[in-house]
């Protein structure tokens, strides 16, 4: 199986850095490109108490996207290997949905993502983005756990 496009979801954690390193190594071997994607959660007026009046969510969301684009560009620049083409995308929405949509849009052959490895109550309360992506992704998913 030829891998041409590897999608790497990035949350700027050490776990996504580790996954990016895996993806770069695989992309080097396969002569593939890497697409980094970061999903910004949209702001919602429902998330704020009634006593706080913030009317311009769109402007705030655009600022969040702008900052995320800068951060993602820096993230990519620090780790990139010159022989591997790396693209970056910042999208607004639920991370699981946006990762799966990006994989479809980019015709990704593989998603390489990190996992925080939460267990117990934190897993129940927070869920696992990696677990849900594995269930819904249109292509294979490699979950790269960081060594202990």
């Amino acid at each position: 199986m030829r891998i041409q496009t590897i999608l790497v979801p990035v949350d700027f954690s050490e776990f996504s850095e580790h996954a990016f390193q895996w993806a770069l190594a695989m992309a080097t071997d396969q002569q593939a490109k890497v697409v980094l994607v970061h999903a910004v959660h949209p702001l919602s007026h429902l998330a704020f108490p009634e006593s706080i009046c913030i009317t311009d969510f769109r402007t705030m969301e655009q600022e969040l996207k702008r900052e995320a684009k800068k951060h993602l560009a820096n993230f990519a620049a620090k780790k990139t290997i010159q022989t591997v083409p790396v693209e970056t995308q910042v999208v607004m929405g639920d991370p699981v949905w946006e990762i799966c949509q990006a994989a479809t849009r980019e015709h990704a052959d593989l998603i390489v993502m990190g996992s925080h490895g939460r267990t117990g109550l934190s897993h129940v309360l927070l869920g696992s983005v990696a677990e849900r992506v594995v269930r819904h992704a249109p292509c294979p998913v490699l979950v790269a756990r960081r060594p202990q």
Side-chain angles (χ1 to χ4, degrees), residues 32-137:
K33 75 174 180 177
V34 173
V35 178
L36 300 176
V37 64
H38 174 74
V40 176
H41 275 286
L43 297 175
S44 168
H45 66 282
L46 299 175
F48 295 96
E50 291 179 22
S51 61
I52 298 175
C53 182
I54 299 175
T55 57
D56 199 2
F57 285 112
R58 182 152 303 179
T59 302
M60 291 175 62
E61 287 176 342
Q62 291 306 316
E63 180 61 28
L64 286 172
K65 269 184 96 170
R66 199 170 16 263
E67 287 299 314
K69 284 180 183 180
K70 280 195 266 183
H71 201 58
L72 190 58
N74 289 337
F75 178 90
K78 288 190 303 189
K79 310 278 188 236
T80 302
I81 299 171
Q82 298 300 330
T83 58
V84 176
V86 176
E87 299 173 8
T88 61
Q89 296 179 9
V90 174
V91 293
M92 180 82 54
D94 172 66
V96 174
W97 170 257
E98 294 300 336
I99 291 165
C100 293
Q101 289 300 304
T104 300
R105 186 173 55 250
E106 293 296 325
H107 306 288
D109 300 298
L110 178 67
I111 297 172
V112 177
M113 63 188 304
S115 174
H116 291 256
R118 290 187 181 102
T119 59
L121 187 58
S122 64
H123 176 73
V124 170
L125 295 176
L126 298 173
S128 169
V129 172
E131 181 181 326
R132 289 183 288 153
V133 168
V134 166
R135 278 194 258 134
H136 300 290

Side-chain angles (χ1 to χ4, degrees), residues 1-8 22-35 83-85 103 106-112 139-142:
M1 179 170 127
R2 172 112 165 83
I3 297 174
Q4 295 178 309
T5 304
I6 301 172
L7 186 83
V8 181
W22 269 88
L24 287 173
M26 294 176 78
T28 301
D29 291 343
Q30 296 286 319
Q31 297 177 336
K33 75 174 180 177
V34 173
V35 178
T83 58
V84 176
E106 293 296 325
H107 306 288
D109 300 298
L110 178 67
I111 297 172
V112 177
C139 61
V141 179
L142 170 65

